[in-house]
Amino acid sequence: MPVCWLNGSFVAEQDAHVSIFDRGLLFGDGVYEVAAVVNGRLLDADRHLVRLSRSLAAIGIPDTQPTAVWLDVMQQLATQNGVHEGLVYLQVTRGVAERDFPFPAQVVPTMFAYARPKLLLADPNAAGVRLLTVPDLRWQRCDIKSTSMLAQVLAKQSARAAGAFEAMMHEDGLVTEGGSSNVWIVRDGTLCTRPTSSDILAGITRDVVLEIAHEAGVPVRERAFTVTQALAADECLMSSATSFVLPVTRIDDHTIADGAPGPVTMRLRAAYLARATRLTQ
Ligand code: PDD
C-alpha cells in the first residue's frame, strides 16, 4: 500500500485527507516541486528545495520546514514505496481557512508529498516526441512554481487530444516553454533557450543542461526564439525533471530536420543520464 507524507506524518495514501477549505483546493493557492529518483536516490533535490523556498517567499507562505527534513521525507518516500526510479512530488498550500481571497490571519500551511515509479533512464520517448504549439494563456509570474495551472492543463490536454506528447507554448509566436518543461533548439551547433524571467519557470533540469553544455563545449545562447525558428531548427529538445532531456522530432505536423533525434540532443541526454547515475550511486 503506497505511503505518502502529510503535515508531519507518514500515512497510507488512502488515509491521507485534506479539508475542502484548503486554499490549495479553493484558489490554487500553493506551490509544488517534482524531483527525480534514480537508483533509489534523490536527484538534485537540494536545488528543487531552493526553488521551493523561492516560490514560497514569492507568495508569502511561511517556509517552516527545514531543507534537511524535506530531504529526509522525500528520501523516505522513495525508499518506503520501493521507488528505485521515479519521482517525488511535494506541495505546500497556504492552508485551511474560511473562503476569503486575502491571506487569512491565522493559518498553518498544508504540506504533503508522495512518490511514484517512472522509467527515466530508459524512457521510450528518447526516440523522439512531438509537440503541439498552443498560445501561452498564463499569468505574469510563471517563475513561481504555482499549483494554479489551468492554462497548462488546457495546453497539455490540447496536445494529448492531438496525439502530441507535450505542448509548446508561445506568446504571439515567441516560444515561452513547454506545458511542464523547458524547450530548446539547436541551430548551427549552438544550443538556444529562452532566458529566465517571469515569463518561464527556471527549470532545474534547464540549469543542469546549461552546465553540461558548457562542460561539453557546446555553445549556448540564452535567447528567445520563435515557433518559425523552431520549425526550421537543426534540432529541438525539451527538458524537465520528469523527462530529463528528450529529443523533439516533430512540432505540429512539421518534421524537425530529418526526423531523427539530433546529435547535440543525444549527447546532452547521454551526459545528463551519466551525471544522474554518478550522483545517485
Ligand atoms: N514541471 N516549465 C514548466 C512550466 C514546468 O512545469 C516545469 C516542470 C519545467 C521544468 O522544470 P524542472 O526542470 O525543474 O522540472 C519548466 C514539473 C515536472 C511538473 O509539473 O510535473
Side-chain angles (χ1 to χ4, degrees), residues 248-275:
V248 174
T249 47
R250 283 174 78 202
I251 299 173
D252 296 340
D253 291 324
H254 183 93
T255 300
I256 304 302
D258 64 0
V264 175
T265 304
M266 293 320 273
R267 208 168 136 206
L268 292 172
R269 178 172 170 83
Y272 193 93
L273 300 191
R275 175 185 176 277

PDB file of all heavy atoms in Angstrom, residues 248-275:
ATOM      1  N   VAL A 248      12.894  16.392 -29.558  1.00  0.00           N
ATOM      2  CA  VAL A 248      11.614  16.729 -30.196  1.00  0.00           C
ATOM      3  C   VAL A 248      11.841  16.558 -31.690  1.00  0.00           C
ATOM      4  O   VAL A 248      12.678  17.249 -32.275  1.00  0.00           O
ATOM      5  CB  VAL A 248      11.205  18.178 -29.873  1.00  0.00           C
ATOM      6  CG1 VAL A 248       9.960  18.576 -30.651  1.00  0.00           C
ATOM      7  CG2 VAL A 248      10.999  18.349 -28.368  1.00  0.00           C
ATOM      8  N   THR A 249      11.115  15.622 -32.286  1.00  0.00           N
ATOM      9  CA  THR A 249      11.354  15.343 -33.704  1.00  0.00           C
ATOM     10  C   THR A 249      10.238  15.880 -34.607  1.00  0.00           C
ATOM     11  O   THR A 249      10.389  15.927 -35.816  1.00  0.00           O
ATOM     12  CB  THR A 249      11.532  13.827 -33.923  1.00  0.00           C
ATOM     13  OG1 THR A 249      10.501  13.134 -33.227  1.00  0.00           O
ATOM     14  CG2 THR A 249      12.889  13.364 -33.394  1.00  0.00           C
ATOM     15  N   ARG A 250       9.116  16.277 -33.956  1.00  0.00           N
ATOM     16  CA  ARG A 250       8.029  16.891 -34.730  1.00  0.00           C
ATOM     17  C   ARG A 250       7.391  18.016 -33.928  1.00  0.00           C
ATOM     18  O   ARG A 250       7.265  17.903 -32.701  1.00  0.00           O
ATOM     19  CB  ARG A 250       6.945  15.851 -35.067  1.00  0.00           C
ATOM     20  CG  ARG A 250       7.345  14.913 -36.205  1.00  0.00           C
ATOM     21  CD  ARG A 250       6.289  13.832 -36.362  1.00  0.00           C
ATOM     22  NE  ARG A 250       5.117  14.300 -37.065  1.00  0.00           N
ATOM     23  CZ  ARG A 250       3.910  13.713 -36.967  1.00  0.00           C
ATOM     24  NH1 ARG A 250       3.740  12.657 -36.199  1.00  0.00           N
ATOM     25  NH2 ARG A 250       2.888  14.186 -37.648  1.00  0.00           N
ATOM     26  N   ILE A 251       7.025  19.073 -34.606  1.00  0.00           N
ATOM     27  CA  ILE A 251       6.242  20.150 -33.995  1.00  0.00           C
ATOM     28  C   ILE A 251       5.020  20.348 -34.883  1.00  0.00           C
ATOM     29  O   ILE A 251       5.149  20.569 -36.091  1.00  0.00           O
ATOM     30  CB  ILE A 251       7.043  21.466 -33.893  1.00  0.00           C
ATOM     31  CG1 ILE A 251       8.289  21.267 -33.017  1.00  0.00           C
ATOM     32  CG2 ILE A 251       6.174  22.585 -33.332  1.00  0.00           C
ATOM     33  CD1 ILE A 251       9.233  22.475 -32.992  1.00  0.00           C
ATOM     34  N   ASP A 252       3.846  20.220 -34.296  1.00  0.00           N
ATOM     35  CA  ASP A 252       2.588  20.210 -35.058  1.00  0.00           C
ATOM     36  C   ASP A 252       2.715  19.130 -36.152  1.00  0.00           C
ATOM     37  O   ASP A 252       3.030  17.998 -35.846  1.00  0.00           O
ATOM     38  CB  ASP A 252       2.273  21.608 -35.629  1.00  0.00           C
ATOM     39  CG  ASP A 252       2.040  22.634 -34.498  1.00  0.00           C
ATOM     40  OD1 ASP A 252       1.748  22.212 -33.364  1.00  0.00           O
ATOM     41  OD2 ASP A 252       2.193  23.836 -34.757  1.00  0.00           O
ATOM     42  N   ASP A 253       2.539  19.507 -37.414  1.00  0.00           N
ATOM     43  CA  ASP A 253       2.659  18.499 -38.471  1.00  0.00           C
ATOM     44  C   ASP A 253       3.973  18.625 -39.232  1.00  0.00           C
ATOM     45  O   ASP A 253       4.120  18.088 -40.331  1.00  0.00           O
ATOM     46  CB  ASP A 253       1.464  18.608 -39.432  1.00  0.00           C
ATOM     47  CG  ASP A 253       0.183  18.174 -38.731  1.00  0.00           C
ATOM     48  OD1 ASP A 253       0.244  17.237 -37.904  1.00  0.00           O
ATOM     49  OD2 ASP A 253      -0.857  18.810 -38.977  1.00  0.00           O
ATOM     50  N   HIS A 254       4.909  19.311 -38.617  1.00  0.00           N
ATOM     51  CA  HIS A 254       6.192  19.581 -39.266  1.00  0.00           C
ATOM     52  C   HIS A 254       7.279  18.684 -38.670  1.00  0.00           C
ATOM     53  O   HIS A 254       7.378  18.556 -37.454  1.00  0.00           O
ATOM     54  CB  HIS A 254       6.539  21.063 -39.047  1.00  0.00           C
ATOM     55  CG  HIS A 254       7.782  21.499 -39.701  1.00  0.00           C
ATOM     56  ND1 HIS A 254       7.812  22.062 -40.953  1.00  0.00           N
ATOM     57  CD2 HIS A 254       9.064  21.425 -39.281  1.00  0.00           C
ATOM     58  CE1 HIS A 254       9.063  22.330 -41.270  1.00  0.00           C
ATOM     59  NE2 HIS A 254       9.848  21.952 -40.276  1.00  0.00           N
ATOM     60  N   THR A 255       8.080  18.091 -39.520  1.00  0.00           N
ATOM     61  CA  THR A 255       9.181  17.262 -39.043  1.00  0.00           C
ATOM     62  C   THR A 255      10.429  18.116 -38.878  1.00  0.00           C
ATOM     63  O   THR A 255      10.761  18.918 -39.755  1.00  0.00           O
ATOM     64  CB  THR A 255       9.461  16.127 -40.062  1.00  0.00           C
ATOM     65  OG1 THR A 255       8.269  15.354 -40.181  1.00  0.00           O
ATOM     66  CG2 THR A 255      10.600  15.218 -39.607  1.00  0.00           C
ATOM     67  N   ILE A 256      11.119  17.950 -37.742  1.00  0.00           N
ATOM     68  CA  ILE A 256      12.349  18.722 -37.495  1.00  0.00           C
ATOM     69  C   ILE A 256      13.513  18.025 -38.200  1.00  0.00           C
ATOM     70  O   ILE A 256      13.761  16.828 -37.980  1.00  0.00           O
ATOM     71  CB  ILE A 256      12.640  18.818 -35.973  1.00  0.00           C
ATOM     72  CG1 ILE A 256      11.451  19.417 -35.227  1.00  0.00           C
ATOM     73  CG2 ILE A 256      13.918  19.625 -35.722  1.00  0.00           C
ATOM     74  CD1 ILE A 256      11.028  20.794 -35.673  1.00  0.00           C
ATOM     75  N   ALA A 257      14.199  18.791 -39.020  1.00  0.00           N
ATOM     76  CA  ALA A 257      15.338  18.283 -39.817  1.00  0.00           C
ATOM     77  C   ALA A 257      14.952  16.977 -40.502  1.00  0.00           C
ATOM     78  O   ALA A 257      13.935  16.942 -41.194  1.00  0.00           O
ATOM     79  CB  ALA A 257      16.575  18.154 -38.939  1.00  0.00           C
ATOM     80  N   ASP A 258      15.720  15.880 -40.280  1.00  0.00           N
ATOM     81  CA  ASP A 258      15.381  14.626 -40.965  1.00  0.00           C
ATOM     82  C   ASP A 258      14.468  13.729 -40.128  1.00  0.00           C
ATOM     83  O   ASP A 258      14.236  12.570 -40.476  1.00  0.00           O
ATOM     84  CB  ASP A 258      16.671  13.878 -41.350  1.00  0.00           C
ATOM     85  CG  ASP A 258      17.478  13.454 -40.124  1.00  0.00           C
ATOM     86  OD1 ASP A 258      17.038  13.743 -38.984  1.00  0.00           O
ATOM     87  OD2 ASP A 258      18.542  12.839 -40.305  1.00  0.00           O
ATOM     88  N   GLY A 259      13.990  14.251 -38.991  1.00  0.00           N
ATOM     89  CA  GLY A 259      13.043  13.483 -38.185  1.00  0.00           C
ATOM     90  C   GLY A 259      13.691  12.553 -37.171  1.00  0.00           C
ATOM     91  O   GLY A 259      12.995  11.890 -36.398  1.00  0.00           O
ATOM     92  N   ALA A 260      15.013  12.523 -37.144  1.00  0.00           N
ATOM     93  CA  ALA A 260      15.723  11.668 -36.183  1.00  0.00           C
ATOM     94  C   ALA A 260      16.220  12.538 -35.022  1.00  0.00           C
ATOM     95  O   ALA A 260      16.477  13.736 -35.217  1.00  0.00           O
ATOM     96  CB  ALA A 260      16.904  10.981 -36.862  1.00  0.00           C
ATOM     97  N   PRO A 261      16.358  11.968 -33.812  1.00  0.00           N
ATOM     98  CA  PRO A 261      16.937  12.745 -32.701  1.00  0.00           C
ATOM     99  C   PRO A 261      18.290  13.304 -33.110  1.00  0.00           C
ATOM    100  O   PRO A 261      19.102  12.599 -33.718  1.00  0.00           O
ATOM    101  CB  PRO A 261      17.082  11.705 -31.581  1.00  0.00           C
ATOM    102  CG  PRO A 261      16.060  10.661 -31.900  1.00  0.00           C
ATOM    103  CD  PRO A 261      16.006  10.592 -33.402  1.00  0.00           C
ATOM    104  N   GLY A 262      18.527  14.577 -32.795  1.00  0.00           N
ATOM    105  CA  GLY A 262      19.760  15.238 -33.241  1.00  0.00           C
ATOM    106  C   GLY A 262      20.974  14.849 -32.416  1.00  0.00           C
ATOM    107  O   GLY A 262      20.837  14.419 -31.264  1.00  0.00           O
ATOM    108  N   PRO A 263      22.176  15.012 -32.995  1.00  0.00           N
ATOM    109  CA  PRO A 263      23.402  14.606 -32.301  1.00  0.00           C
ATOM    110  C   PRO A 263      23.701  15.413 -31.038  1.00  0.00           C
ATOM    111  O   PRO A 263      24.149  14.843 -30.044  1.00  0.00           O
ATOM    112  CB  PRO A 263      24.503  14.817 -33.352  1.00  0.00           C
ATOM    113  CG  PRO A 263      23.914  15.723 -34.385  1.00  0.00           C
ATOM    114  CD  PRO A 263      22.438  15.494 -34.361  1.00  0.00           C
ATOM    115  N   VAL A 264      23.443  16.720 -31.062  1.00  0.00           N
ATOM    116  CA  VAL A 264      23.702  17.531 -29.859  1.00  0.00           C
ATOM    117  C   VAL A 264      22.736  17.103 -28.751  1.00  0.00           C
ATOM    118  O   VAL A 264      23.122  16.914 -27.592  1.00  0.00           O
ATOM    119  CB  VAL A 264      23.559  19.049 -30.176  1.00  0.00           C
ATOM    120  CG1 VAL A 264      23.714  19.876 -28.911  1.00  0.00           C
ATOM    121  CG2 VAL A 264      24.566  19.462 -31.230  1.00  0.00           C
ATOM    122  N   THR A 265      21.478  16.910 -29.124  1.00  0.00           N
ATOM    123  CA  THR A 265      20.463  16.468 -28.156  1.00  0.00           C
ATOM    124  C   THR A 265      20.877  15.156 -27.505  1.00  0.00           C
ATOM    125  O   THR A 265      20.817  15.011 -26.278  1.00  0.00           O
ATOM    126  CB  THR A 265      19.104  16.268 -28.877  1.00  0.00           C
ATOM    127  OG1 THR A 265      18.757  17.484 -29.536  1.00  0.00           O
ATOM    128  CG2 THR A 265      18.020  15.868 -27.901  1.00  0.00           C
ATOM    129  N   MET A 266      21.290  14.193 -28.328  1.00  0.00           N
ATOM    130  CA  MET A 266      21.604  12.875 -27.787  1.00  0.00           C
ATOM    131  C   MET A 266      22.876  12.911 -26.941  1.00  0.00           C
ATOM    132  O   MET A 266      23.003  12.177 -25.965  1.00  0.00           O
ATOM    133  CB  MET A 266      21.695  11.835 -28.913  1.00  0.00           C
ATOM    134  CG  MET A 266      20.347  11.577 -29.575  1.00  0.00           C
ATOM    135  SD  MET A 266      18.932  11.526 -28.421  1.00  0.00           S
ATOM    136  CE  MET A 266      18.938   9.796 -27.927  1.00  0.00           C
ATOM    137  N   ARG A 267      23.783  13.818 -27.289  1.00  0.00           N
ATOM    138  CA  ARG A 267      24.987  13.986 -26.488  1.00  0.00           C
ATOM    139  C   ARG A 267      24.619  14.563 -25.111  1.00  0.00           C
ATOM    140  O   ARG A 267      25.118  14.117 -24.083  1.00  0.00           O
ATOM    141  CB  ARG A 267      25.910  14.966 -27.229  1.00  0.00           C
ATOM    142  CG  ARG A 267      27.379  14.761 -26.939  1.00  0.00           C
ATOM    143  CD  ARG A 267      28.168  15.581 -27.942  1.00  0.00           C
ATOM    144  NE  ARG A 267      29.241  16.270 -27.277  1.00  0.00           N
ATOM    145  CZ  ARG A 267      29.791  17.391 -27.691  1.00  0.00           C
ATOM    146  NH1 ARG A 267      29.345  17.979 -28.794  1.00  0.00           N
ATOM    147  NH2 ARG A 267      30.778  17.933 -27.024  1.00  0.00           N
ATOM    148  N   LEU A 268      23.735  15.550 -25.132  1.00  0.00           N
ATOM    149  CA  LEU A 268      23.312  16.164 -23.865  1.00  0.00           C
ATOM    150  C   LEU A 268      22.521  15.170 -23.025  1.00  0.00           C
ATOM    151  O   LEU A 268      22.695  15.089 -21.808  1.00  0.00           O
ATOM    152  CB  LEU A 268      22.467  17.417 -24.135  1.00  0.00           C
ATOM    153  CG  LEU A 268      23.210  18.600 -24.755  1.00  0.00           C
ATOM    154  CD1 LEU A 268      22.237  19.700 -25.161  1.00  0.00           C
ATOM    155  CD2 LEU A 268      24.256  19.157 -23.780  1.00  0.00           C
ATOM    156  N   ARG A 269      21.663  14.388 -23.697  1.00  0.00           N
ATOM    157  CA  ARG A 269      20.891  13.390 -22.946  1.00  0.00           C
ATOM    158  C   ARG A 269      21.827  12.364 -22.305  1.00  0.00           C
ATOM    159  O   ARG A 269      21.693  12.036 -21.124  1.00  0.00           O
ATOM    160  CB  ARG A 269      19.863  12.698 -23.861  1.00  0.00           C
ATOM    161  CG  ARG A 269      19.076  11.619 -23.112  1.00  0.00           C
ATOM    162  CD  ARG A 269      17.910  11.028 -23.894  1.00  0.00           C
ATOM    163  NE  ARG A 269      17.400   9.874 -23.171  1.00  0.00           N
ATOM    164  CZ  ARG A 269      16.538   9.926 -22.160  1.00  0.00           C
ATOM    165  NH1 ARG A 269      16.060  11.084 -21.759  1.00  0.00           N
ATOM    166  NH2 ARG A 269      16.151   8.824 -21.540  1.00  0.00           N
ATOM    167  N   ALA A 270      22.783  11.885 -23.082  1.00  0.00           N
ATOM    168  CA  ALA A 270      23.731  10.888 -22.555  1.00  0.00           C
ATOM    169  C   ALA A 270      24.509  11.457 -21.373  1.00  0.00           C
ATOM    170  O   ALA A 270      24.681  10.785 -20.342  1.00  0.00           O
ATOM    171  CB  ALA A 270      24.680  10.439 -23.661  1.00  0.00           C
ATOM    172  N   ALA A 271      24.948  12.707 -21.495  1.00  0.00           N
ATOM    173  CA  ALA A 271      25.706  13.343 -20.407  1.00  0.00           C
ATOM    174  C   ALA A 271      24.810  13.542 -19.185  1.00  0.00           C
ATOM    175  O   ALA A 271      25.244  13.380 -18.041  1.00  0.00           O
ATOM    176  CB  ALA A 271      26.279  14.675 -20.877  1.00  0.00           C
ATOM    177  N   TYR A 272      23.545  13.858 -19.435  1.00  0.00           N
ATOM    178  CA  TYR A 272      22.601  14.043 -18.320  1.00  0.00           C
ATOM    179  C   TYR A 272      22.393  12.726 -17.575  1.00  0.00           C
ATOM    180  O   TYR A 272      22.422  12.681 -16.341  1.00  0.00           O
ATOM    181  CB  TYR A 272      21.259  14.597 -18.838  1.00  0.00           C
ATOM    182  CG  TYR A 272      20.387  15.096 -17.719  1.00  0.00           C
ATOM    183  CD1 TYR A 272      20.403  16.427 -17.326  1.00  0.00           C
ATOM    184  CD2 TYR A 272      19.581  14.209 -16.991  1.00  0.00           C
ATOM    185  CE1 TYR A 272      19.639  16.878 -16.263  1.00  0.00           C
ATOM    186  CE2 TYR A 272      18.825  14.641 -15.924  1.00  0.00           C
ATOM    187  CZ  TYR A 272      18.855  15.978 -15.572  1.00  0.00           C
ATOM    188  OH  TYR A 272      18.109  16.413 -14.496  1.00  0.00           O
ATOM    189  N   LEU A 273      22.208  11.644 -18.339  1.00  0.00           N
ATOM    190  CA  LEU A 273      21.999  10.331 -17.712  1.00  0.00           C
ATOM    191  C   LEU A 273      23.243   9.888 -16.950  1.00  0.00           C
ATOM    192  O   LEU A 273      23.144   9.337 -15.847  1.00  0.00           O
ATOM    193  CB  LEU A 273      21.640   9.267 -18.763  1.00  0.00           C
ATOM    194  CG  LEU A 273      20.371   9.484 -19.594  1.00  0.00           C
ATOM    195  CD1 LEU A 273      20.022   8.220 -20.383  1.00  0.00           C
ATOM    196  CD2 LEU A 273      19.192   9.902 -18.739  1.00  0.00           C
ATOM    197  N   ALA A 274      24.407  10.158 -17.523  1.00  0.00           N
ATOM    198  CA  ALA A 274      25.667   9.766 -16.872  1.00  0.00           C
ATOM    199  C   ALA A 274      25.814  10.511 -15.549  1.00  0.00           C
ATOM    200  O   ALA A 274      26.182   9.926 -14.520  1.00  0.00           O
ATOM    201  CB  ALA A 274      26.851  10.066 -17.797  1.00  0.00           C
ATOM    202  N   ARG A 275      25.504  11.804 -15.571  1.00  0.00           N
ATOM    203  CA  ARG A 275      25.580  12.605 -14.339  1.00  0.00           C
ATOM    204  C   ARG A 275      24.580  12.086 -13.307  1.00  0.00           C
ATOM    205  O   ARG A 275      24.908  11.929 -12.129  1.00  0.00           O
ATOM    206  CB  ARG A 275      25.294  14.080 -14.671  1.00  0.00           C
ATOM    207  CG  ARG A 275      25.217  14.983 -13.459  1.00  0.00           C
ATOM    208  CD  ARG A 275      24.819  16.395 -13.865  1.00  0.00           C
ATOM    209  NE  ARG A 275      24.657  17.262 -12.698  1.00  0.00           N
ATOM    210  CZ  ARG A 275      23.556  17.332 -11.965  1.00  0.00           C
ATOM    211  NH1 ARG A 275      22.509  16.562 -12.257  1.00  0.00           N
ATOM    212  NH2 ARG A 275      23.499  18.147 -10.924  1.00  0.00           N
TER     213      ARG A 275
END
